[in-house]
Amino acid sequence: MAISTVGFVDRIVLNVLAVPIQQEFGLSDTQVGLLTGLAFAVLNVGLGIFVARLAERKRRLSLIALGTLLWSIATALCGMVGNWVHLLFARIGVGVGEAVGLPATQSVVSDYFPPERRATAMSVLMLAAPVGALIGAAGGAWVGQTYGWRTAFYVAAAPGFILAILAYLLIAEPPRGRHDPGAGDDVPSMGAVLARIFRLRSARQLLAGSTLAAMVGFALNSFVALLLVRKFGFTLVQAGLVSGLLASFPSAISVLAGGRLADWLGRSRPAAYALVPGICLLVAAPLYIFAITRENIALLLPAITLAALFQYTYLGVTYGTFQNLFHPRMRATGGAVLGAIYGLIGQGLGPLALGMLSDGLMRAGGYDGGQALAVAMALSALLYLWAGAHYLLAARHLGADLATTRAAPLSA
């Protein structure tokens, strides 16, 4: 979880540092969206799947340690760039490092916990997102304003070097599939992994819903700090602290509560693993739209906090459910395929599309920079309704699909 947190810090710190970087390099919202999204995902997609295939056969902790080292080096290089193009390539390097280091983490955690506890375990692992958001936004903003945005990248990179060593030397490699009877040692083909994702009706719906939700979440979080500075006159430190708090404490509650509730209800009704996040996403959409369109900051902040309590319940539940649907020897690959889709569509296209929409609203006239960004964020949040619908459809088939994969873990 600490390694994943550092990875998320290195990924998200640019969101708040975008304010001084945009000013120094004269960037548009579209270029900011490209830096925070697609640049990270461009090589992450294919490389993550390739490394995951190695992780099905090799020591997973070695790959995790190597990837942590690589993305930490790339994050430090972000502080040395001389222009926007250099920064673009450095961000691609961060994505490459995470492609090496992160696909195996879910596989390792799944081998430490039995199926009925995996949603909760994955929710703890997914705390990396809210904790990393707080550290990256609040800490990055303070260091960036006090010592400069380049120094903020150096500070963000430092913990990864230590954690890479600790992961390699101290974390035990758990036996694969020890909680999954009949798992065996045969490694399923790539085709079998893709078939598991796209042939199971529940898996298809979970993938569609979680991809849409990830796209909205990455897009919204990429521009919160910029909105606070642009529309409400916050300083960089104020915007970083507030955006970090918004993305951390309510999100952490949402992630943990979602996993615990799904595991509790799922004992008697497996459909709960899709119903819980689906209903929460349907509630989150109108709450967020109401919040982000407020002109009064005293109303906007608590309303966004309330929305965040529902926005992120899908994270741990979805990853835990997919791990239960996967054969133990396809979990690293399956996690990488999901990560590739979330990275390319979610983080890659989400912020870019929102930035382009904001620029388009400003060019069309009638909106200043702050208003255009707020409207673009509200329109993006509508996609939570679409995502929630996919989860409700998944609930119709999830119980039968889980039973089938447990009875025949390799052939289902």
Side-chain angles (χ1 to χ4, degrees), residues 40 47 60 79 109 127-128 160 178 197 208 233 242 252 271 310 381:
F40 175 87
L47 185 59
R60 291 166 288 183
V109 172
L127 285 178
R178 65 179 176 184
I197 295 174
V242 171
F310 295 91

Side-chain angles (χ1 to χ4, degrees), residues 306-330:
L306 181 61
L309 292 174
F310 295 91
Q311 276 177 267
Y312 303 104
T313 54
Y314 77 94
L315 277 171
V317 178
T318 304
Y319 279 111
T321 303
F322 268 115
Q323 291 295 306
N324 285 340
L325 289 170
F326 289 140
H327 179 275
R329 287 278 181 171
M330 62 171 62

Side-chain angles (χ1 to χ4, degrees), residues 119 257-267 269-270 272-274 276-277 317 321:
R260 291 289 292 172
L261 182 61
D263 271 340
W264 179 61
L265 295 175
R267 295 172 187 171
R269 189 179 183 188
Y273 287 106
V276 169
V317 178
T321 303

Side-chain angles (χ1 to χ4, degrees), residues 75-103:
T75 300
L77 290 175
C78 289
M80 303 177 185
V81 300
N83 54 51
W84 179 75
V85 175
H86 293 164
L87 183 56
L88 188 67
F89 280 103
R91 288 292 292 174
I92 292 173
V94 177
V96 168
E98 292 204 10
V100 174
L102 291 185

Side-chain angles (χ1 to χ4, degrees), residues 2 6 20 30 33-34 38 42 78 85 132 136 149 151 178 201 245 276 295 303 378 385 401 403:
V6 168
T30 300
L34 184 61
L38 197 58
V42 63
C78 289
V85 175
W149 63 265
T151 302
R178 65 179 176 184
R201 289 175 292 183
L245 290 172
V276 169
E295 298 295 329
L385 298 175
D401 287 345

Side-chain angles (χ1 to χ4, degrees), residues 32-409:
V32 171
L34 184 61
L35 283 173
T36 57
L38 197 58
F40 175 87
V42 63
L43 289 182
N44 184 277
V45 175
L47 185 59
I49 295 173
F50 172 76
V51 173
R53 297 305 292 166
L54 292 178
E56 305 292 9
R57 298 174 174 85
K58 305 297 183 180
R59 185 175 185 269
R60 291 166 288 183
L61 269 302
S62 298
L63 293 171
I64 292 171
L66 175 61
T68 305
L69 178 64
L70 291 177
W71 84 59
S72 300
I73 293 172
T75 300
L77 290 175
C78 289
M80 303 177 185
V81 300
N83 54 51
W84 179 75
V85 175
H86 293 164
L87 183 56
L88 188 67
F89 280 103
R91 288 292 292 174
I92 292 173
V94 177
V96 168
E98 292 204 10
V100 174
L102 291 185
T105 55
Q106 294 176 43
S107 174
V108 169
V109 172
S110 292
D111 283 332
Y112 275 116
F113 295 91
E116 65 273 14
R117 295 179 61 198
R118 282 188 187 134
T120 301
M122 287 297 160
S123 295
V124 174
L125 181 62
M126 291 302 119
L127 285 178
V131 174
L134 176 61
I135 297 172
W142 182 81
V143 175
Q145 181 162 298
T146 306
Y147 300 102
W149 63 265
R150 297 177 187 277
T151 302
F153 280 117
Y154 302 146
V155 173
F161 294 100
I162 299 172
L163 287 171
I165 297 172
L166 295 178
Y168 184 78
L169 296 177
L170 300 181
I171 301 180
E173 178 86 3
R176 296 179 192 262
R178 65 179 176 184
H179 296 294
D180 301 275
D185 294 326
D186 294 334
V187 177
S189 67
M190 186 68 193
V193 178
L194 295 176
R196 181 66 60 91
I197 295 174
F198 293 105
R199 285 181 185 172
L200 293 176
R201 289 175 292 183
S202 62
R204 290 198 304 268
Q205 297 294 344
L206 288 174
L207 178 61
S210 56
T211 300
L212 286 167
M215 184 169 68
V216 178
F218 277 119
L220 297 178
N221 287 331
S222 292
F223 286 94
V224 170
L226 198 58
L227 178 73
L228 295 176
V229 172
R230 185 182 292 178
K231 187 174 181 180
F232 297 101
F234 278 43
T235 67
L236 180 60
V237 170
Q238 290 170 335
L241 177 60
V242 171
S243 62
L245 290 172
L246 289 174
S248 57
F249 290 112
S251 305
I253 295 171
S254 180
V255 171
L256 278 179
R260 291 289 292 172
L261 182 61
D263 271 340
W264 179 61
L265 295 175
R267 295 172 187 171
S268 57
R269 189 179 183 188
Y273 287 106
L275 287 174
V276 169
I279 293 171
C280 287
L281 287 170
L282 294 178
V283 173
L287 285 177
Y288 195 92
I289 292 169
F290 170 81
I292 205 67
T293 53
R294 297 308 93 191
E295 298 295 329
N296 184 346
I297 191 66
L299 179 59
L300 183 148
L301 294 180
I304 286 185
T305 301
L306 181 61
L309 292 174
F310 295 91
Q311 276 177 267
Y312 303 104
T313 54
Y314 77 94
L315 277 171
V317 178
T318 304
Y319 279 111
T321 303
F322 268 115
Q323 291 295 306
N324 285 340
L325 289 170
F326 289 140
H327 179 275
R329 287 278 181 171
M330 62 171 62
R331 284 176 179 154
T333 304
V337 171
L338 297 177
I341 295 171
Y342 298 152
L344 183 61
I345 300 176
Q347 186 172 6
L349 299 183
L352 178 61
L354 198 158
M356 292 174 67
L357 180 58
S358 175
D359 284 339
L361 289 171
M362 281 189 283
R363 286 195 299 268
Y367 294 103
D368 61 26
Q371 292 172 330
L373 189 53
V375 171
M377 294 171 78
L379 292 174
S380 298
L382 282 171
L383 292 179
Y384 276 141
L385 298 175
W386 187 4
H390 281 291
Y391 275 94
L392 298 186
L393 290 173
R396 300 170 59 186
H397 310 290
L398 186 55
D401 287 345
L402 284 170
T404 300
T405 54
R406 286 171 183 168

